Every structure is written in C-alpha cells, then in structure tokens.
Amino acid sequence: MTTQTQTECRSLLAAERHGFWHLVHSEWTKFRTVRGWVVAVLITIVVIPAFAFVSTSRGDGCATGNGSGTASPVACPAQPTGPGGVPVIDEFYFAHQPVTGNGTITAAVTSLTGQALVGSNQLAPAGLEPWSKAGIILKESTAQGSAYAAMMVTGSHGARMQWDYVNDTAGLTGSVSPSAPRWLRLVRDGRTITGYDSADGTHWTLVGAATLPGLTSTVQAGLFAAGSFSDTGESILATGVFRHIGLSWPAAGWTGTNIGGPNAVPVPGTLRHSAGTLTVASFGDISPAAGGAYMGSGQPIQDVLAGTFLGLIPLIVVAVLFITAEYRRKLICVSLIAAPRRGRLLAAKAVVIGAVGFVAGLVGATLALAVGIHLLHGNLQWPVSLLIETRIVVGTAALLGVAAVLALAIGTIVRRSASAVATVIVVIFVPHLLAFNPLSNGNGPGAPGGWELQITPAAALSVQQSAPRFHQLLTNYSPNAGYYPLSPWAGLAVECAWAAAALALAFLLLRRRDA
Amino acid sequence: MSLTVRAPAPRYPLGHALHAEWTKFRTMAGPSWLLAGLVTLTVVGLAAASAARCQSATCRIDPAMVSFAGIYLGQAVAAVTGVLAIGNEYSTGMIKLSLTAMPRRLTWLFAKATVLTAPVLAAAALAVAGSALAGRLILPGHGFTPAHGYASLTSATDIRAATGAVLYLTLIALLSLGLAAAVRDSAATIGLVLGVLYLFPLAAAIVSSPALARHLDQIGPLPAGLDAQATIGVNSLPLTPWQGLGVVALWTAAALLLGALALIIRDA
C-alpha cells in the first residue's frame, strides 16, 4: 500500500469492545457462506478415505519394506506370527527334550562366538553381532511363532531374559568367556517362567518373570543359538558352548530341530557333544519382525491414511484463501474496522479454520480407517490396538487442523494466494518426498529418516506411525518401512511450533502493516 | 456513387501481442523475484541433499539426483510463476482489458506462453548450471570418485541430465500456465499443480503393488521428469530419459489445450 492510504483501514471505533466469540461467530459465517470453500472441505473429507482404495490395492508382486517400487514380481514369503498376532522371526537350532509340569533348567555358557557368512558358503573368521545369542529356552512347541521364555548371553548386551519375541530384560553385563562364564536358569511355575543369572553358579540374581498365557503343560526345554544379522543383512553363525546342564525333570535325551525348517537359514544348525559340554551352532534369530526385518506382504495401518496428503491440498487452499481473499476483495478493511483489535481477528480466523481442519480430518481419518481395516483384512503388518487407532485418528485430525492454521498464518504474512499455497504445500510435502528418497537417507542401520521429518512441519506425519520399535532388533526403521524419526506427539509438536511461530509473525505484521 | 469508406479489418499481429505481454512481464516486480527465487532455491536445495555419502562402489546413488535435489523446490517456484502469469490477470480484472485489446484469444495465450518460456528457460538454465557446478565441487569430497565408479561428472550423460532438468522446469511453468487459464483462480490452480506434481511419487512410495507403483512412476510428471535427469541405472528406470521428458511434455500439452479450449469456449 502506498503512504496515502496509510490509515485507510484503521478504525475510529477502537475503543469499542467486541466479544471474542462474537468475532469467531462472524468469521464462521464468512466461512460457511462461501460455497467453494465448503465444497473444498468436503473434498478433503472424501478423498482421505477414497485414497485408501489405491494405497491398499494389491498386485501379484511382493513389496517388502525396501519401498523401491520396482521389486520383481515374486510371491511373498509368509511371515510367521507369534502370540498376539505379532509378526516374528523364529529360525534357530533348538536342542530340546519334552518336559511336563513345573521344574527348572540350568546351564552355564562358557563361550559365544560369531562368524559372518560371506559369499554363498564361506564363513568369515569373526563377526559376532550385538544381538547374536545363545542360551536356555522353554518353548511351547517346535512350531514357528509358539510362546517361549529364554535366558541368554548376547554379543554385546550381556545376559538377557527375553520372552514371546517382543519382551527383553537386561541381566548381568559384560561378555562371556571360559574364565567368566554366565550361569543361566529358568524356573517354570504354572504359566509363569522366572529367569535368573549368576556369575558363579551359587549366587543367583532374578532377571525377570514372564507370564505366558495359555502355556501347555508339556513344553520343550533346551539349549539354543541364533546368530542374528549384521547391519548389512549378512547372516551370522553363532556358536554357544554349554556346561553344567541340569534339568529337574526326568531326562529324555536331546533332540535337535531347526525351527522353521532346515532351509530357513543358510546352513542348518548343529549340536556337538563332548566331555561335559554341548556346543550349539546356528544362524537365524528369535525376534519381532519389525521395520526392515519384515518380509511379508502386509501393510502398516497408516498406509490406509495415505490420502491425508491428498486431503491437505484443498484444505490448505481454503485456509490461505480465508485470509488472502479478504485482501483481494479489500474486505480486510471492513473486517479490520469492525474488529480493530487485529490480533483477535486473526485469532478468531485461526479458531475457525483450525476447527474446520480438525473436524474434516477427524471425519476423513475415521472413515479411512473403517474402510481401510476392511480392505486390509488379513493383510495388516502389525496388530493395532484401539488406543493406537484412536491416537492415529485424533493425531491425523490435529495434523490437518494445525496445517490449516499454518496456512492461514502464511497467507496473512504473504498476502498472495498462490505464493502462500505453494509455500505451505512445499514445506509439508517436499520433506516427505526427500525422506522417501534414498539419496538423503542415512544408509546405515537405525537411521530412521533424517532431518526432513524432524525439523520441518512434515514431522507431524509421525502421529500415524503404528508399529513399535525394538531396541533388541537392529534393522532399518525407515519411513519406507513405516517408521518416523520422532515419537508421534513430538512430531505433532514440531508442526505446532511452526504454526505458532508463523502465527506470531502474522500477528506482528498484521499489527504493524496497513492492510 | 457511394461515399462509404470501407475501413480495413483490424489486424492483431502476434508481434504486438508479444510486445504487450513482454512489457507486462518486465514491468511487474513479482516475476523477477520469483525467477530469482527459482535459481536460489534450486541451488540451495543441493545443500540439503549433500548429506549423501558414497562409501563403496555399490552405493548406487545417482550424483545427478543429488545435484538436482533442489528441483523439488525449484519446480514449485516455476509453477507459481506460470500460474501467476495468467492468475494475476483474473485476480486483478486485467483480463477484460487484455482480451478487449487482443480479441484473438489463442494469439494472446500463445504470446503469454512465449513470454513466460524465455525468462523461465533462462532462469532454469542458470539454476541447473549452478546446481551442477556446486555438485561438481561438493560431491567428489563425498565419495563420488572414479574409484567408486563415477568417472566423470561432465560426460555427455551428465549434460543430457542437465538439459532434461532445464526443460523439465520450463515445461512445469507452462503446464501451470495452461491450468491457470482453465481454472482462473490462482490458489486453486497452484494447489492442483503441486498436487499433480507431488502426489504421484508419494503414492508410488506407499502402494503395496509394485506394478501399480511403477505405473504411477511412469504417469506422474515429477517421477517421469526425474527419469530425464538420471545418469546411472538408466536401463532399470520405469521410463527412458527422453520418454520421461515426453510424458511431462504430454501433461503440459494437455494443460495448455485445456486452457485454450476454456478460453475460447468461455466468456472470460
């Protein structure tokens, strides 16, 4: 504006008081009476569930967590599931005997070594991984995915108790050697299995107690080894040496079984007897199949909400126009004269557009989830509780509401529709595109996306993450595998911080500038 | 004997239309700021992607994709420039005057498109040259060395990739111009254009069917445009580089056609 019009939009009624909710009501009236805006918000509500049909469509090929989109069309290997429907990796060598009722198994591990498989059938001299493991285990059966509780020594995380694939508790620290053996004990009492460890076989420390619901009376007790995988995906052969093996149940002799079949691992595991020792060597792992370790064809639940992006576009356009249309039609002068306290005018607009975005998101996300769970029937990668579903729906609604406020603030700052719309779309969409683009991802293990999804408004997409992360499973927790670097609410907080900062700048500019 | 003087039919030569449009373009502050933004953002975008490292001979990262990562941002500015070239006429009401002065609407649209193309092409060339130069300076330090299979960053392939990037940005500006003529509202048009650009690759990353993902990568203008900028693994891309550029050109042609039809059929 030129200097001649400096005071054009200043009100002479500045002293008059206006109720804030009165202002909100008048802004709501402005919003709902523009047919195009209402139609745009309805489009937002419709496209979010509609896109679930695209994002869940299945071809004959197999898309695993690598997200390259160019995977060869081969059938997906089935991913076994454990208790609670959790996808698991359950491949190891199990020296076992059947035991019935309550009792105790004890063993001392005197050595744990690892060798990486290089080439087709060649072993590197060394290559113990942090989560290579060997120890004692009580497992319901030799079927993949059956319930278990185990005490074990690991490559670099000391002694651990693990049960039912997802649970892990730390015991004694330090690595195992013939001079510093680790004594491990599991005590079964009904459905509860308690784990103990000891450095000398006389002083025992409680590590943890596991309750395995529905555990049968007869289970398999024995020794196991599983080498886990290196960060570049190589299979590791773990060799555990056991001494002082004692079972309180009547002894029945050891049977060796490759859980998952002999072809599940590169080379079937082995059991060797020698004077007073048993040596178990095996590839494979016992762990949840999360992140890049998941090889099945299931999709994470957030895939049904992929339409969030599509729905954001009309909402952002409307939120920007909610303020820039006033500038274009010079209605802003009337608005500002009617509501001379400019901050409150902006606040009223933010309340209206934020609420519109939130409600549109709530309806859209609820419909998408309802439709999507039906579409994904039996093809869900990770079981999702009602609590997580609620968090995903409410979080998505908040994501849209805050995005609308951000768009309103940018619109107020820029005052030009096209530039404001482009800015908001770019700051939300481009970081996401770059995060999915392998060139900017850290290629190493545990590099979950990068700065793109931590410091930009796109961080808010983490409210849709559904699968948990496991410290005992080192794998690729990347956006392609459905993981975001920030926790759900922290990601949303980043978007809120951007919206708050933009709103603050908009307040300042609106106050200082002539409209 | 009749005294009526037959006035010659008015002529509307293209040259005049071009001159008029060029005067509009040149005398407005917006376009030059946008073009400066196009260059800046495209070059700066490289900084974000320069976290890419190549540690072995098998890292399979395309250095051109790293150098031209700023195009993700730059194309949004190109799109805004294209949208505003026509959107501004509608939002200010100037369109009535423009079409009164130049009743041949197709000539007017052609002049608009031509006047947009030349500066955008120049700015895109500057932006891509800047990105390529910056990439040439930064990337060898990040492991993109002959030892890792990156013999030269100035081969014929690299020049083809840079040309592809320049043409891509220009085509996106023209696509936006065509859609703006059809939609008339700047905000809605830019939402539409950026949706068409960004949603295809986002959807392709999510869909579970690889065949569908590949089709989305073939149809979408952004992934097709990226194929035109690729320098390694060209044989495994969903489209060859020139096919990729062809797909973008088809999108642009369709948008311009739509804009032209709307302009002819509709009252402005």
Side-chain angles (χ1 to χ4, degrees):
Chain A
M1 290 279 155
T2 56
T3 44
Q4 287 94 321
T5 59
Q6 195 88 66
T7 56
E8 194 178 74
C9 305
R10 302 276 169 195
S11 174
L12 301 170
L13 313 169
E16 199 173 315
R17 292 236 164 247
H18 292 262
F20 180 67
W21 294 108
H22 182 80
L23 209 52
V24 170
H25 185 255
S26 66
E27 288 303 327
W28 166 242
T29 309
K30 272 187 211 166
F31 180 85
R32 73 179 166 79
T33 50
V34 181
R35 202 181 55 185
W37 296 355
V38 176
V39 168
V41 172
L42 288 178
I43 291 175
T44 294
I45 293 174
V46 171
V47 293
I48 295 176
F51 200 72
F53 289 94
V54 178
S55 59
T56 58
S57 71
R58 259 164 278 168
D60 49 355
C62 173
T64 50
N66 57 29
S68 63
T70 54
S72 56
V74 290
C76 284
Q79 189 80 49
T81 52
V86 169
V88 298
I89 301 171
D90 198 13
E91 302 159 354
F92 64 99
Y93 186 83
F94 188 18
H96 60 96
Q97 43 188 287
V99 295
T100 304
N102 296 338
T104 302
I105 176 173
T106 309
V109 185
T110 56
S111 160
L112 173 65
T113 50
Q115 290 166 283
L117 186 73
V118 288
S120 61
N121 212 350
Q122 213 174 357
L123 287 169
L128 197 63
E129 283 297 314
W131 289 101
S132 295
K133 51 189 79 115
I136 56 175
I137 184 169
L138 289 175
K139 190 168 165 67
E140 186 164 86
S141 72
T142 54
Q144 277 189 307
S146 65
Y148 78 95
M151 280 297 303
M152 66 196 71
V153 294
T154 59
S156 57
H157 293 281
R160 318 289 295 195
M161 179 172 181
Q162 294 187 353
W163 66 96
D164 279 1
Y165 307 93
V166 295
N167 304 292
D168 173 63
T169 310
L172 286 169
T173 54
S175 59
V176 64
S177 69
S179 60
R182 289 284 176 265
W183 292 71
L184 308 172
R185 173 171 286 172
L186 286 170
V187 179
R188 177 177 181 189
D189 180 14
R191 282 170 192 160
T192 305
I193 295 171
T194 318
Y196 299 87
D197 63 5
S198 165
D200 53 14
T202 48
H203 302 92
W204 292 90
T205 317
L206 176 81
V207 179
T211 303
L212 308 185
L215 191 65
T216 50
S217 171
T218 300
V219 297
Q220 302 293 324
L223 315 172
F224 79 96
S228 192
F229 303 93
S230 75
D231 54 15
T232 49
E234 294 161 314
S235 289
I236 307 294
L237 177 70
T239 306
V241 179
F242 299 84
R243 300 178 68 85
H244 310 293
I245 302 148
L247 278 76
S248 67
W249 297 280
W254 298 110
T255 309
T257 303
N258 282 287
I259 305 292
N263 298 325
V265 286
V267 182
T270 56
L271 171 67
R272 281 202 316 271
H273 299 262
S274 61
T277 66
L278 279 180
T279 304
V280 181
S282 178
F283 290 97
D285 209 347
I286 316 172
S287 75
Y294 181 78
M295 290 294 156
S297 62
Q299 288 185 275
I301 189 78
Q302 68 258 38
D303 279 9
V304 308
L305 285 166
T308 305
F309 283 106
L310 199 52
L312 269 170
I313 290 179
L315 184 68
I316 288 171
V317 169
V318 166
V320 165
L321 283 176
F322 196 34
I323 182 80
T324 57
E326 297 225 6
Y327 281 103
R328 205 168 73 204
R329 313 241 179 271
K330 304 282 184 276
L331 184 66
I332 189 77
C333 286
V334 182
S335 297
L336 289 177
I337 288 165
R341 295 175 66 178
R342 297 180 168 198
R344 300 178 85 184
L345 178 76
L346 191 58
K349 277 191 182 291
V351 166
V352 169
I353 204 68
V356 165
F358 186 86
V359 171
L362 202 62
V363 178
T366 308
L367 287 175
L369 220 56
V371 169
I373 285 176
H374 179 71
L375 289 172
L376 275 181
H377 179 70
N379 200 37
L380 194 58
Q381 179 180 332
W382 199 271
V384 186
S385 68
L386 189 63
L387 189 70
I388 291 181
E389 280 179 15
T390 312
R391 184 253 289 160
I392 291 175
V393 167
V394 175
T396 303
L399 184 162
L400 266 79
V402 176
V405 173
L406 177 68
L408 174 81
I410 301 272
T412 313
I413 295 167
V414 178
R415 291 186 286 186
R416 303 272 189 284
S417 312
S419 310
V421 170
T423 307
V424 180
I425 291 179
V426 164
V427 297
I428 295 178
F429 284 50
V430 170
H432 215 264
L433 276 174
L434 290 177
F436 274 96
N437 193 329
L439 63 87
S440 55
N441 262 352
N443 293 320
W451 59 271
E452 304 95 349
L453 295 176
Q454 295 183 35
I455 59 167
T456 68
L461 263 300
S462 62
V463 293
Q464 295 181 346
Q465 183 180 315
S466 58
R469 214 179 283 262
F470 295 94
H471 63 261
Q472 72 268 35
L473 176 67
L474 298 181
T475 184
N476 182 18
Y477 292 107
S478 67
N480 284 322
Y483 289 84
Y484 293 89
L486 295 182
S487 70
W489 299 117
L492 192 65
V494 170
E495 192 200 14
C496 289
W498 278 101
L503 213 50
L505 183 61
F507 268 126
L508 270 178
L509 289 176
L510 191 64
R511 193 174 284 224
R512 183 179 303 171
R513 277 192 309 224
D514 183 38
Chain B
M1 187 177 264
S2 170
L3 290 175
T4 47
V5 176
R6 187 162 291 180
R11 296 182 62 241
Y12 304 102
L14 178 63
H16 288 189
L18 280 174
H19 186 254
E21 290 305 327
W22 172 244
T23 308
K24 278 189 214 165
F25 190 91
R26 167 172 73 75
T27 51
M28 279 187 359
S32 21
W33 279 110
L34 282 170
L35 292 178
L38 169 65
V39 176
T40 316
L41 278 179
T42 307
V43 178
V44 164
L46 167 64
S50 64
R53 294 280 187 287
C54 181
Q55 273 119 359
S56 69
T58 56
C59 64
R60 314 270 313 134
I61 295 176
D62 190 337
M65 290 292 168
V66 180
S67 296
F68 300 148
I71 294 208
Y72 278 106
L73 301 174
Q75 62 189 307
V77 189
V80 173
T81 315
V83 166
L84 288 184
I86 287 199
N88 270 347
E89 295 255 352
Y90 280 99
S91 64
T92 56
M94 177 79 169
I95 186 76
K96 291 170 196 156
L97 204 61
S98 296
L99 291 184
T100 311
M102 174 51 68
R104 297 222 172 122
R105 298 183 171 189
L106 283 188
T107 311
W108 176 78
L109 187 65
F110 184 77
K112 270 277 182 213
T114 312
V115 163
L116 177 72
T117 305
V120 169
L121 198 61
L126 201 61
V128 168
S131 299
L133 189 69
R136 183 96 180 75
L137 294 175
I138 295 171
L139 291 181
H142 286 187
F144 292 88
T145 56
H148 292 161
Y150 299 104
S152 147
L153 297 175
T154 47
S155 65
T157 316
D158 294 295
I159 289 165
R160 191 260 301 139
T163 313
V166 173
L167 292 177
Y168 174 73
L169 285 172
T170 315
L171 286 171
I172 294 304
L174 285 172
L175 183 154
S176 312
L177 178 112
L179 279 183
V183 179
R184 293 185 285 189
D185 180 81
S186 301
T189 313
I190 195 69
L192 194 61
V193 172
L194 295 184
V196 166
L197 289 178
Y198 294 140
L199 283 176
F200 279 99
L202 281 171
I206 284 161
V207 294
S208 70
S209 155
L212 182 59
R214 196 176 165 84
H215 284 312
L216 287 171
D217 277 340
Q218 286 170 332
I219 299 166
L222 196 158
L226 285 181
D227 289 343
Q229 300 159 32
T231 58
I232 66 165
V234 173
N235 293 331
S236 63
L237 291 173
L239 295 170
T240 67
W242 294 116
Q243 277 177 342
L245 210 57
V247 167
V248 186
L250 280 178
W251 275 92
T252 305
L256 285 171
L257 192 66
L258 197 66
L261 282 177
L263 211 53
I264 293 172
I265 295 167
R266 220 170 33 196
D267 185 27

